[in-house]
């Protein structure tokens, strides 16, 4: 359990870092006019959207281990909550 203590935080931080890295790549590509800049003031919106579209499949592949660790952490938490609810229900039925 201890190794998974911060699994959700680690996965989220890595996911955000991957998004920021993808945004940086998109920004560089826009800066050098490799990809279109967008229309008017929509440039940043489209750059963020493109970074999201690129980072999603990358995170699915690159962050599999962290996602699995987070899943174990969440599953353990849910199991403990269910056990507490069942214990509380048993105490109420016995009273």
């Amino acid at each position: 359990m201890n190794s998974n203590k911060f699994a959700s935080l680690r996965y989220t931080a890595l996911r955000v870092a991957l998004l920021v890295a993808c945004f940086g790549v998109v920004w560089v590509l826009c800066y050098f006019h490799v990809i279109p800049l967008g229309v008017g003031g929509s440039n940043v919106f489209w750059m963020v959207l493109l970074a999201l579209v690129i980072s999603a499949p990358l995170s699915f592949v690159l962050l599999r281990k962290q996602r699995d660790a987070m899943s174990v952490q969440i599953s353990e938490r849910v199991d403990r909550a269910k056990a507490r609810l069942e214990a509380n229900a048993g105490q109420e039925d016995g009273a």
Side-chain angles (χ1 to χ4, degrees):
M1 165 74 186
N2 197 15
S3 65
N4 291 330
K5 186 174 181 180
F6 298 107
S8 296
L9 182 61
R10 184 180 307 114
Y11 174 75
T12 302
L14 288 172
R15 183 78 194 261
V16 169
L18 186 60
L19 175 62
V20 169
C22 287
F23 181 80
V25 169
V26 169
W27 184 84
V28 168
L29 292 174
C30 284
Y31 182 80
F32 289 111
H33 301 289
V34 175
I35 58 176
L37 293 175
V39 178
S42 69
N43 187 30
V44 174
F45 173 76
W46 290 113
M47 287 170 46
V48 169
L49 188 60
L50 185 57
L52 282 169
V53 168
I54 293 170
S55 70
L58 286 176
S59 70
F60 184 74
V61 173
L62 298 175
L63 302 179
R64 176 169 286 153
K65 187 171 111 176
Q66 290 81 7
R67 189 174 50 255
D68 290 345
M70 182 180 68
S71 175
V72 168
Q73 178 190 22
I74 291 170
S75 177
E76 289 172 351
R77 220 180 267 171
V78 168
D79 290 343
R80 284 194 308 268
K82 283 182 183 179
R84 279 194 307 267
L85 285 174
E86 289 174 1
N88 289 341
Q91 288 177 351
E92 289 176 4
D93 291 343

